[in-house]
Structures are given as structure tokens and as C-alpha cells.
Amino acid sequence: MSPSTEQFVREFTMATDHPVSLTYIVPAHNSTATIEGTLKELRDRLAGTNSEVLVVENGSTDGTLDMLHKIEANWQTDGVELRVLTSKKGLGNALRHGVAESRGARVFFGADDLPFGFDDLDKADKIDHHQHKMVIGSKAHPESEVGRGVLRAVLTWGFLTLRFIVLGMRTRDPQGTFAIDGDWVRSVGPRLTEEGFLLTTELTYLAERSGIKTIEVPVRLRESHGAHGSRIRISDVWKMGLGLVTVRMRHRKGARPVASVA
């Protein structure tokens, strides 16, 4: 079989195995100021790509859900389906629900304000998700341009140290944006339990335990996003430490490592 024929067969198989090529998940909580612009950018970026955008509203109090339903009702973009979902409040709850409802060969965890634009997605598009099941848009990558202040740099170092001590984690930024093999992430989805921001750390821990080597790619923080002050506090280091211990106990007590999807 020639290389061109092999490529055709592979692409055809992928197309028939999955209704869509990419599921782009956007958690939305009190997002009226950003979500409409984000969806317009996603519409333009993904047009014609046989993708779906899942916006998971979680516990908003500012009219986000009403706004999303209006956008959904008027959505007409070839090759991009928009679905609005709801979950309990919490980033982890939103991502878990999005994973459970996803249909893509690849699943992307984004944010409601596209902090890196499409740097992360563009780089992930160049990497075979069958061979490399988890690609992270990493603020900790040495080539990333994220404009960290001194406090944020110190706290980031503290988080990195805690993750290594408690979980033995090698990934430097398990809280970036993620491009993940769809079959694999759906297979481990039922094991994810974190309701908040540690969900992606829990997912990365399961990946590393199953022998998956994460790939971290550099990102550039948008100037508009960099204007916002850091929301991280010193007390968050302590909270993260407790959360990491919980993750370790939950997945090591009588649990076998997650099998990697071939």
C-alpha cells in the first residue's frame, strides 16, 4: 500500500469512527463580558473543520445562560456545531460534563476569554494526537510569553514543587489549555472527581500514571488578558497542597494505573 493510500485509509477511518474531528470545550461562569466575542473568534477559526463547540455554563448569576441560548439559536456556521450545556458550579464540573458529552476525535479544553488566542490550538494541530495523547498550552514552557510578576512566579514555583513532592508529577503546567485524544479522555472521564480548578491536574496525574508523556508547547498571553491582575493568593498554595494529597489518596488507594488507549 502506497503512503498516500495509507494516509487516505487512516483519515477515512478517523472520520467514520468520530462524528466530529474536534470538540472544543469552553467552561463559562459569569461570562457575559467575554463569551460572545470568544464564540465569534471560534466560529471564524473553526469554520469548515467539522468541529463542535461545547459551552458549559456552570452556576452563573449574570445572565450568561440566557446570552448563550440566544447565540445558539442564531448560530449558523458550516462545519461548526454549537451546543450549550449546563453543570454545577466549578471548572472541574464543567470540564467533566463537556468530556462526557464530547464526540470529537480530539478534545480541547479552552477558556471563555481565549487567553492565548489560538497559539495553543495551532501548535496542537501539528502534533499527531494518536501518538501524543495530551498536548498542553503551557505557561511554564521556557519559550512562553506570559508576563509573570514576581508574586506569580514565586507561587508558580511553589505549585510546581508541591506537585512533584506529592504526586511525583513531571508536567510543569497541568493547568494550561489541553488538546487530548478524545477516546482516551472519555475512557478516564468517569474516574475524574475534582469539581474545581484541580481537575486538569487530576487528569494529568492519571495520564502520567498510565505512561502517557505530556507535551507542553509555548504560548503567548494576549495583551488584553495580561492587563488583569493575578487572582492567585498565598493561601492558594496551602489549598492546593491539601487538594493534591486528596488526589493522590483517591487514585492510589486500591486503584490500578489507567490503561493507555492504543
Side-chain angles (χ1 to χ4, degrees):
M1 186 181 292
S2 68
S4 60
T5 303
E6 288 180 347
Q7 182 179 1
F8 173 81
V9 171
R10 181 179 178 185
E11 291 177 352
F12 177 80
T13 301
M14 288 173 58
T16 54
D17 284 349
H18 300 90
V20 296
S21 59
L22 172 69
T23 298
Y24 196 110
I25 301 175
V26 183
H29 175 76
N30 290 344
S31 303
T32 53
T34 59
I35 196 63
E36 186 172 12
T38 290
L39 290 177
K40 286 180 180 178
E41 289 194 65
L42 282 169
R43 178 194 63 196
D44 294 341
R45 171 63 175 77
L46 299 177
T49 61
N50 187 31
S51 301
E52 63 179 0
V53 177
L54 306 187
V55 185
V56 189
E57 186 281 323
N58 59 107
S60 298
T61 58
D62 69 343
T64 293
L65 187 58
D66 289 339
M67 175 181 286
L68 286 171
H69 283 318
K70 290 178 182 177
I71 295 173
E72 184 181 33
N74 294 304
W75 185 269
Q76 293 182 348
T77 303
D78 289 339
V80 187
E81 179 181 358
L82 172 65
R83 289 196 282 153
V84 175
L85 310 174
T86 59
S87 74
K88 292 192 301 182
K89 181 180 178 181
L91 176 63
N93 289 325
L95 292 176
R96 283 191 292 116
H97 188 45
V99 166
E101 293 293 323
S102 69
R103 300 173 296 169
R106 190 173 43 151
V107 173
F108 194 92
F109 291 174
D112 66 351
D113 57 353
L114 295 175
F116 311 129
F118 294 113
D119 267 5
D120 41 16
L121 183 58
D122 290 342
K123 290 182 173 68
D125 278 346
K126 299 175 182 179
I127 298 173
D128 185 343
H129 69 90
H130 291 285
Q131 294 184 14
H132 305 287
K133 299 186 186 302
M134 184 177 289
V135 179
I136 301 174
S138 171
K139 299 180 295 297
H141 192 284
E143 296 179 17
S144 289
E145 300 174 16
V146 293
R148 284 196 180 97
V150 175
L151 175 59
R152 188 176 186 90
V154 170
L155 291 175
T156 298
W157 179 86
F159 292 158
L160 175 64
T161 303
L162 277 172
R163 288 191 296 265
F164 179 75
I165 292 173
V166 178
L167 300 179
M169 185 173 288
R170 300 290 179 176
T171 302
R172 296 183 62 84
D173 183 15
Q175 292 177 286
T177 52
F178 283 68
I180 318 168
D181 180 81
D183 290 335
W184 183 82
V185 74
R186 283 185 288 271
S187 74
V188 300
R191 292 191 59 190
L192 299 172
T193 60
E194 286 295 319
E195 297 188 349
F197 71 99
L198 277 178
L199 184 283
T200 53
T201 299
E202 181 181 27
L203 179 63
T204 305
Y205 179 57
L206 292 178
E208 289 192 0
R209 289 201 72 208
S210 69
I212 292 174
K213 182 179 179 181
T214 61
I215 295 181
E216 297 182 76
V217 297
V219 290
R220 292 172 297 174
L221 191 67
R222 281 184 162 180
E223 185 177 346
S224 58
H225 192 83
H228 299 297
S230 175
R231 298 176 183 176
I232 302 176
R233 302 183 298 272
I234 294 291
S235 60
D236 290 335
V237 177
W238 172 250
K239 292 178 181 178
M240 171 171 270
L242 292 176
L244 294 177
V245 170
T246 300
V247 169
R248 185 179 189 276
M249 292 176 63
R250 180 183 303 127
H251 292 292
R252 288 211 171 184
K253 185 178 180 181
R256 296 178 181 177
V258 181
S260 177
V261 175

